[in-house]
Amino acid sequence: MTSLHRTLTIAALAACVSLLPAEDKPKPAAVVPNEGEVKGLFNGKNLDGWVNVNCHPDTFFVKGDEIITTGTPTGFLRTEKQYENFELDFDWMHVEKEKMANSGLFVWGDPLPAVGTQYTRGIEVQVLINYAPKDGWATSHGDIFSIHGARCTPDRPHPTRKGMERCLPSENRVKGGGEWNHYKVIANDGAIKLHVNGKEVSGVSKSNPRKGYLALESEGAECHFKNIKIKELPSTNPKPEECAKVAEGHVSLFNGTDLKGWTTKEGEWKVAGAVLKCTGTADIVTEKRYGAAELIFDWKVPQNTEKSQCVVSVGGAPLIITLPNGVKPGSWQRQTFRVEKARGVAPIAFKATEGLELMNVFVHELKGNK
């Protein structure tokens, strides 16, 4: 991922405004506490220890002794802490019995989604049923693969797509909708081995990152998870560049489903596919007011636009963002806007621009708010 870096003129209202990269350098591995002890990642009562990154508050919930995702919108629920080497056991069940039903486990992920997607950079362990493409590029049996900038080497070369970083399982051991499946995921020194209902079927190695957050995926289908337990293994001392980014307290301003938390004229902005799209001439502003804060968001304008810019303000400080030289409209760009000192508080506002699309809108309030 990259952030735009450019010198911009900011209104005099802001005492200090700076653009920063959206991703800081990863921190070194920490000492693993209680190494070798089997611990529950889910207490069976609530989502303590987990963070809803970019979904509606109702997307992930607890019922009985299960974590359930509705599948809407797409996004993920991650752990509060990072993990490196471990043995993870959990049970999962899709309720759909005939149609394709999708979910997944993200391993060694970043705290925020990758640019232009609702999913993190990391390694995905597939949780999928009722999917059998004719060309055989994927299965419903427990595939493992890299996503959104992560890298890995499959234990077996992909049978139909040369160089694809996806390990297809050696056999089908996944039960269908309405039945519980057990996964054991063994992750060690950049390698992941997946055991489906008691037998190893797939794996990858040489993963990067190889330390990061674990996450459950929401992707269009109701899925249940329970008995989530982890045993941490000794560290193999990953380099900083082999670690996922570290969470810095950013929270989502957009739930991917509706305009809750925002104000605008009716019909001027619409939500579709976890994306905010400008369809009128009215600005969209947050209900909450902010002073010193860091804003991260992805933005895109149509390919045929004549006005390839985005105008946003934080703490009363406006910023006009334009595409860098050589970048054509139609692609997602990530922007970080930081106001370190503000004279007062004001809503975060995006100016109406024809066809402007926004996603992955996160804010981190800084010290210095008045």
Side-chain angles (χ1 to χ4, degrees), residues 90-112:
F90 67 96
D91 299 323
W92 62 268
M93 177 185 68
H94 278 296
V95 298
E96 175 61 52
K97 295 184 179 180
E98 296 181 0
K99 298 178 182 179
M100 183 189 76
N102 204 351
S103 184
L105 168 75
F106 298 148
V107 179
W108 298 322
D110 289 325
L112 299 181

Side-chain angles (χ1 to χ4, degrees), residues 23-84:
E23 301 168 352
D24 290 336
K25 293 181 179 179
K27 297 179 181 179
V31 176
V32 177
N34 303 317
E35 183 180 288
E37 176 186 347
V38 177
K39 297 179 291 183
L41 268 185
F42 168 48
N43 62 21
K45 300 177 182 179
N46 53 47
L47 293 177
D48 287 354
W50 295 83
V51 177
N52 183 340
V53 176
N54 56 344
C55 292
H56 190 279
D58 296 334
T59 299
F60 289 93
F61 62 95
V62 175
K63 185 176 182 179
D65 60 349
E66 303 170 10
I67 295 177
I68 302 173
T69 174
T70 64
T72 304
T74 52
F76 60 102
L77 176 82
R78 67 164 175 82
T79 54
E80 287 185 341
K81 64 166 287 186
Q82 291 192 347
Y83 293 89
E84 182 195 343

